[in-house]
């Protein structure tokens, strides 16, 4: 590349905030072809009606697809002892398994850019929607959702990078960017403030009408609050909010573990908040089904993926645990030709299988950001940290373990009893691994528990204290010279 050439990634970063409003405009035209085209020259022409507010918040939700999916799986699961990837995938992805990534890794840059694009869209909603004349309840709900989404993404950013820029107003200068990182503690204070404001907005407990399913609920707000407090080791508030979700009776475990995952069941009784993927457009589809499928089993173009389950992790399941049967496979029937295909490079993961995808890398699977089993296990963890393994803590974790027996009372895992506080702590971490594997949790769970380095060392993965934080993307430092780099990079 010539010295005076601006790379596509860098150019995208420079212009991302400028185009954020343009993307909202395009979304508006797509949703309502009779809409009078907005002028992209001024937001004063873009936020006039209740429909404009809805279009704008939908554009915030739209960015979730670029932040979660395989991006989060690479960052949170491949960078753990659970998941492997074949060397043919290339260094950009392989670096997450071997902890050899650098600040130049394009996955970090895409993740960072898309996070701040979503935040900028949320900031525009928060600045402009209050001035719209519309139903007060609907307005409060949209503003609450914008705060929830901003908080959620800042939570992802601060877990990944530590100190990050805290941007709470729409970006107006996209050329002379000079925004410093602020301490992670300050970011967490803002995250909790946003979530508290979202809680006060009294979001619905459930959505049922067309066009609203998948939006943030009061349960989603409380669940993420519980997780933030758990990460901050504020176990009193973590237990409080997790218990509120449990006591609401808005969610329940699917009786059969395998029913958690089929596309036909998405946004079901156990799903609290998910990034929405679909076949409404092929570009809205998820790539997880293909990436995890056994090669030659994927029904479109007879393809498959290069991700597979780590053998040591597979062997960690207790004998008879039904979740292993549902999650781990070594063969699959290709629905397009009814041929049985055997895995060629070790056991594979079946959680994201879609027998009727819409494109080669476009399936219908949602990415489950948080589900009810997660809340039960968070409650058990917080209760144990507060008072040791209480009756309530045992009840929460044993609900998850009972389902894992699939109706066989003599099977594993048996209900826990008689553990010390430290033994229960280890049991919860292990249970989260078996229950929530390949759902974008493992790295964050290991970091929260202080087990990241020791767990990866035990699995034979190269790891050091440097890897407790990911590097700030180099392209972002090039654009914003006020940014500093994390130690070791």
């Amino acid at each position: 590349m010539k010295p005076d050439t601006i790379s596509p990634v860098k150019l995208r970063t420079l212009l991302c905030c400028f185009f954020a409003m343009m993307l909202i405009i395009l979304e508006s035209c797509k949703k309502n072809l009779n809409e009078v085209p907005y002028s992209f020259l001024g937001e004063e022409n873009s936020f006039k009606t209740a429909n404009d507010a809805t279009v704008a918040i939908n554009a915030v939700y739209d960015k979730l697809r670029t932040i979660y999916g395989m991006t989060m799986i690479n960052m949170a699961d491949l960078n753990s002892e659970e998941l492997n990837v074949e060397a043919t995938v290339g260094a950009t992805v392989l670096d997450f398994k071997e902890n050899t990534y650098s600040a130049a890794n394009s996955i970090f840059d895409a993740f960072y850019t898309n996070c701040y694009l979503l935040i900028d869209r949320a900031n525009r909603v928060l600045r402009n929607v209050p001035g719209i004349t519309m139903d007060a309840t609907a307005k409060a709900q949209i503003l609450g959702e914008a705060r929830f989404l901003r908080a959620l993404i800042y939570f992802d950013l601060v877990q990944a990078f530590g100190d990050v820029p805290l941007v709470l107003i729409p970006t107006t200068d996209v050329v002379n960017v000079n925004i410093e990182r602020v301490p992670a503690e300050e970011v967490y204070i803002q995250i909790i403030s946003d979530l508290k404001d979202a809680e006060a907005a009294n979001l619905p407990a459930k959505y049922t009408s067309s066009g609203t399913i998948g939006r943030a609920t009061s349960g989603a707000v409380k669940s993420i609050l519980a997780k933030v407090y758990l990460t901050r080791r504020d176990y009193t508030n973590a237990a409080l909010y997790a218990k509120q979700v449990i006591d609401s009776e808005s969610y329940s475990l699917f009786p059969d573990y395998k029913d958690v995952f089929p596309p036909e069941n998405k946004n079901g009784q156990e799903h609290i908040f998910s990034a929405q993927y679909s076949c409404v457009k092929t570009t809205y589809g998820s790539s997880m089904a293909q990436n995890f499928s056994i090669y030659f089993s994927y029904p479109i173009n007879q393809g498959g993926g290069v991700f597979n389950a780590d053998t040591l992790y597979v062997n960690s399941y207790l004998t008879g645990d039904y979740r292993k049967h549902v999650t781990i496979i070594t063969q699959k029937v290709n629905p397009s030709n009814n041929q049985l295909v055997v895995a060629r490079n070790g056991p594979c993961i079946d959680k994201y299988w879609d027998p009727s995808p819409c494109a080669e890398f476009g399936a219908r699977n949602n990415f489950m950001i948080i589900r009810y089993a997660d809340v039960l296990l968070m409650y058990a963890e917080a209760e144990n940290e507060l008072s040791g393994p209480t009756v309530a803590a045992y009840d929460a974790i044993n609900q998850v373990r009972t389902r894992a027996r699939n109706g066989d009372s003599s099977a594993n895992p048996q209900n826990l009893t008689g553990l010390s506080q430290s033994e229960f702590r280890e049991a919860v971490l292990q249970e989260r691994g078996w229950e929530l594997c390949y759902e974008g949790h493992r790295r964050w769970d290991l970091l929260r528990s202080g087990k990241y380095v020791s767990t990866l060392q035990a699995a034979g993965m190269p790891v050091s204290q440097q890897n407790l934080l990911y590097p700030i993307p180099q392209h972002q430092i090039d654009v914003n010279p006020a940014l500093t780099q994390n130690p070791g990079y």
Side-chain angles (χ1 to χ4, degrees):
M1 181 180 294
K2 297 179 180 179
D4 59 347
T5 300
I6 300 177
S7 72
V9 175
K10 182 175 179 180
L11 182 61
R12 184 188 67 218
T13 305
L14 285 168
L15 299 179
C16 66
C17 295
F18 179 78
F19 285 126
M21 202 60 225
M22 191 63 184
L23 290 173
I24 294 175
I25 295 163
L26 293 175
E27 185 72 12
S28 173
C29 295
K30 184 168 59 184
K31 297 279 180 153
N32 187 350
L33 295 179
N34 296 320
E35 190 77 42
V36 176
Y38 294 140
S39 166
F40 68 91
L41 298 177
E43 288 183 26
E44 67 276 6
N45 297 320
S46 304
F47 288 90
K48 295 294 186 181
T49 68
N51 183 64
D52 297 342
T54 299
V55 166
I57 194 65
N58 286 345
V60 186
Y61 281 104
D62 185 67
K63 289 306 296 178
L64 292 173
R65 285 192 296 269
T66 65
I67 294 168
Y68 292 97
M70 288 308 301
T71 296
M72 187 58 70
I73 286 169
N74 284 328
M75 292 176 62
D77 293 320
L78 185 57
N79 189 246
S80 79
E81 87 286 21
E82 292 184 345
L83 187 62
N84 283 327
V85 67
E86 296 176 26
T88 55
V89 74
T92 300
V93 174
L94 192 63
D95 283 348
F96 283 92
K97 187 60 185 176
E98 298 178 349
N99 271 330
T100 52
Y101 47 76
S102 72
N105 190 296
S106 60
I107 291 176
F108 293 133
D109 190 57
F111 173 74
Y112 187 102
T113 299
N114 284 312
C115 283
Y116 277 103
L117 261 173
L118 185 149
I119 289 166
D120 189 70
R121 292 184 183 188
N123 287 340
R124 292 175 192 279
V125 169
L126 292 168
R127 181 174 72 177
N128 292 288
V129 168
I132 297 176
T133 300
M134 59 183 293
D135 177 78
T137 300
K139 179 188 288 188
Q141 179 178 320
I142 286 174
L143 294 173
E145 291 175 63
R147 290 191 182 278
F148 167 80
L149 291 166
R150 185 171 72 177
L152 175 67
I153 299 310
Y154 268 122
F155 185 39
D156 290 334
L157 282 167
V158 76
Q159 287 185 104
F161 302 114
D163 302 349
V164 292
L166 185 59
V167 184
L168 302 178
I169 59 174
T171 302
T172 57
D173 188 341
V174 297
V175 177
N176 299 310
V177 178
N178 196 40
I179 305 174
E180 296 181 348
R181 300 166 72 185
V182 303
E185 180 63 30
E186 187 175 335
V187 181
Y188 273 111
I189 290 171
Q190 183 61 47
I191 289 168
I192 292 170
S193 175
D194 273 348
L195 290 172
K196 290 279 195 172
D197 286 344
E199 181 187 18
N202 295 317
L203 301 182
K206 283 189 179 295
Y207 290 98
T208 56
S209 60
S210 176
T212 62
I213 295 173
R215 293 173 69 171
T217 61
S218 57
V221 174
K222 293 177 187 295
S223 298
I224 297 301
L225 259 171
K227 182 155 286 190
V228 170
Y229 280 126
L230 195 65
T231 302
R232 302 299 295 149
R233 294 180 172 82
D234 182 346
Y235 301 116
T236 298
N237 277 311
L240 172 69
Y241 278 99
K243 189 66 161 55
Q244 287 182 15
V245 175
I246 294 167
D247 289 346
S248 74
E249 299 183 350
S250 296
Y251 310 97
S252 59
L253 298 176
F254 279 102
D256 191 327
Y257 182 71
K258 72 178 180 182
D259 289 336
V260 175
F261 309 106
E264 293 77 15
N265 292 346
K266 62 186 181 181
N267 301 312
Q269 66 193 59
E270 188 168 339
H271 306 127
I272 298 176
F273 189 69
S274 301
Q276 302 290 309
Y277 295 87
S278 72
C279 283
V280 172
K281 292 179 63 177
T282 55
T283 55
Y284 289 177
S286 158
S287 66
M288 296 178 294
Q290 170 135 346
N291 277 304
F292 283 125
S293 64
I294 295 173
Y295 217 82
F296 298 124
S297 70
Y298 196 71
I300 296 179
N301 291 341
Q302 313 309 302
V306 292
F307 290 83
N308 48 68
D310 186 275
T311 302
L312 287 175
Y313 169 75
V314 172
N315 292 338
S316 75
Y317 279 99
L318 299 174
T319 302
D321 190 327
Y322 176 65
R323 292 171 297 191
K324 179 179 179 180
H325 167 75
V326 170
T327 303
I328 307 300
I329 59 170
T330 56
Q331 58 185 24
K332 190 78 175 181
V333 173
N334 185 326
S336 68
N337 57 23
N338 291 320
Q339 296 295 309
L340 181 67
V341 182
V342 177
R344 58 184 186 176
N345 286 307
C348 291
I349 297 103
D350 206 37
K351 277 189 173 183
Y352 296 105
W353 175 252
D354 183 357
S356 302
C358 38
E360 187 171 3
F361 284 97
R364 300 169 295 159
N365 317 81
N366 282 352
F367 183 93
M368 298 170 292
I369 296 171
I370 195 159
R371 59 182 175 93
Y372 186 59
D374 190 352
V375 173
L376 288 170
L377 294 174
M378 285 196 295
Y379 180 64
E381 182 176 338
E383 269 287 291
N384 180 63
E385 295 300 333
L386 286 171
S387 307
T390 62
V391 171
Y394 277 120
D395 177 68
I397 194 172
N398 285 336
Q399 286 185 53
V400 176
R401 291 170 75 89
T402 296
R403 180 175 64 175
R405 295 195 290 273
N406 196 36
D408 183 352
S409 60
S410 63
N412 279 320
Q414 288 292 297
N415 284 359
L416 297 177
T417 185
L419 302 181
S420 67
Q421 185 180 49
S422 60
E423 289 170 338
F424 192 92
R425 183 183 297 123
E426 292 295 321
V428 171
L429 181 61
Q430 181 66 81
E431 199 69 36
R432 290 184 64 84
W434 292 329
E435 175 70 25
L436 303 169
C437 56
Y438 316 118
E439 297 178 35
H441 298 287
R442 190 59 173 172
R443 173 183 167 89
W444 320 128
D445 285 349
L446 293 173
L447 288 171
R448 184 180 71 250
S449 64
K451 297 283 187 179
Y452 176 78
V453 172
S454 61
T455 300
L456 268 59
Q457 286 175 338
M461 289 179 61
V463 63
S464 69
Q465 292 296 310
Q466 166 188 319
N467 303 119
L468 297 178
L469 291 174
Y470 283 135
I472 299 295
Q474 185 59 48
H475 279 111
Q476 304 302 326
I477 293 175
D478 293 342
V479 170
N480 178 7
L483 289 177
T484 56
Q485 187 54 273
N486 281 325
Y489 299 104

